[in-house]
């Protein structure tokens, strides 16, 4: 998955019936989860947007996607 230059890997927990993801191309930790692909994609976008807003609120540069 790719959003605003941030790339994530996704895993599926068959027992819990849930997808989880983590952004891999930044030093900061950004995670998300969802029960469907649509929910997972929205959670990914929301997590990246929240991260960027958090950095902005603290006057910090977000870790650039590499």
């Amino acid at each position: 998955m790719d959003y605003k230059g941030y790339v994530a890997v996704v895993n599926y927990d068959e027992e819990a019936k849930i997808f989880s993801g983590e952004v891999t191309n930044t030093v900061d930790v950004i995670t998300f989860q969802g029960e469907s692909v649509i929910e997972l994609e929205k959670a990914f976008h929301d997590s990246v947007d929240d991260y960027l807003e958090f950095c902005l609120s603290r006057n910090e540069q977000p870790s650039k996607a590499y």
Side-chain angles (χ1 to χ4, degrees), residues 1-10 21-25 30-34 37-51:
M1 300 176 77
D2 188 336
Y3 179 66
K4 294 186 177 180
Y6 292 90
V7 177
V9 294
V10 175
E22 182 174 358
V23 174
T24 59
N25 63 336
I30 304 171
T31 61
F32 52 96
Q33 65 182 25
V37 173
I38 292 171
E39 191 177 297
L40 180 74
E41 186 174 61
K42 182 177 180 343
F44 174 42
H45 293 185
D46 289 347
S47 291
V48 169
D49 290 340
D50 288 347
Y51 167 71

